[in-house]
Amino acid sequence: MNHHASPSASPRRTSRIVLAGLAILGLASAVFAVRRPLVMTAPACLAGRWHGCLDTENGVLLMTLAGLPAAALVTWGLALLRQAAGVTSVWRRSLAEVGMVYGTVPFVWLTLMPGPGAGTVPGRVSLVPLRDLVTMGPIGIGGNLLIFAALGFFAPLRFAALASVPRILALGAGCSAVVETLQYVLRLDRVSSVDDVLVNAAGAVLFGLVSRRWWRAAAEAPPGRPRPAPAHA
């Protein structure tokens, strides 16, 4: 008996190849754009020195890029474990879990990086909305939009309960509020600003909307339910 592939299989495969190609192209373009600062930071990171590597933005970016193969390996391992257990949607679940963590931790690390007056300068708070947006500038706003971008993109794919704009907004705002509170409590010589919370939450929502076309698949998939054993004739 001959089995024919579903008519929608080929377009889906083509779409995945195109998305993977675009992701690789985007990553390569980003690396090319920041190649000089990364090369300057590489000696300190390769030597395992804390100062000059993980306490600098360029160093964190370099280590994040260098860790991509390990993240891909973890994703592959999780998918194989789930596949062996007969769980559905193994690749989407595994990619979403690794993506949430790997795409968020480096940015949170950067926001919690102490300033020169850490430990001595008292915590500063700015609670007037939209006042600090003027001083952020395009780079500051762009960076704040990216802090919880991965969380907003992947969380609704992994957890069907988060597959709505208000819930992603609440998730981004809540996580950002925790980070801003830590900046104040730990006296990191940073300003805990309500505008950071607003922009962080907006970034989570924007990138959540990018993955919205896949939310329905996440909501329809059973939560980790093993696949039924195939019937034998």
Side-chain angles (χ1 to χ4, degrees), residues 139-215:
I139 296 179
I141 294 176
N144 275 297
L145 287 174
L146 291 175
I147 291 178
F148 294 109
L151 187 65
F153 184 94
F154 288 110
L157 300 181
R158 178 58 183 89
F159 304 104
L162 295 175
S164 72
V165 171
R167 292 177 182 180
I168 296 176
L169 180 64
L171 176 65
C175 291
S176 179
V178 170
V179 171
E180 296 299 311
T181 302
L182 288 175
Q183 289 179 347
Y184 178 81
V185 172
L186 298 177
R187 301 173 67 184
L188 298 178
D189 190 19
R190 289 177 173 268
V191 178
S192 299
S193 173
V194 67
D195 285 346
D196 288 339
V197 176
L198 295 176
V199 180
N200 292 165
V205 171
L206 287 175
F207 281 84
L209 292 175
V210 174
S211 66
R212 191 171 189 173
R213 59 177 297 183
W214 298 290
W215 290 2

Side-chain angles (χ1 to χ4, degrees), residues 93-169:
R93 293 174 185 275
S94 302
L95 179 61
E97 290 172 356
V98 175
M100 280 190 297
V101 176
Y102 198 79
T104 303
V105 170
F107 287 104
V108 173
W109 179 272
L110 290 174
T111 60
L112 294 177
M113 197 174 290
T120 58
V121 176
R124 291 162 290 171
V125 179
S126 177
L127 299 179
V128 180
L130 307 181
R131 186 177 65 181
D132 296 331
L133 283 178
V134 180
T135 59
M136 283 185 188
I139 296 179
I141 294 176
N144 275 297
L145 287 174
L146 291 175
I147 291 178
F148 294 109
L151 187 65
F153 184 94
F154 288 110
L157 300 181
R158 178 58 183 89
F159 304 104
L162 295 175
S164 72
V165 171
R167 292 177 182 180
I168 296 176
L169 180 64

Side-chain angles (χ1 to χ4, degrees), residues 22-38 61 65:
L22 291 175
I24 294 173
L25 180 61
L27 178 61
S29 300
V31 172
F32 180 79
V34 297
R35 66 191 185 283
R36 290 184 179 178
L38 293 184
L61 176 59
L65 294 174

Side-chain angles (χ1 to χ4, degrees), residues 63-82:
M63 296 306 294
T64 301
L65 294 174
L68 283 175
L73 185 62
V74 171
T75 303
W76 179 71
L78 288 174
L80 288 183
L81 289 175
R82 285 192 166 106

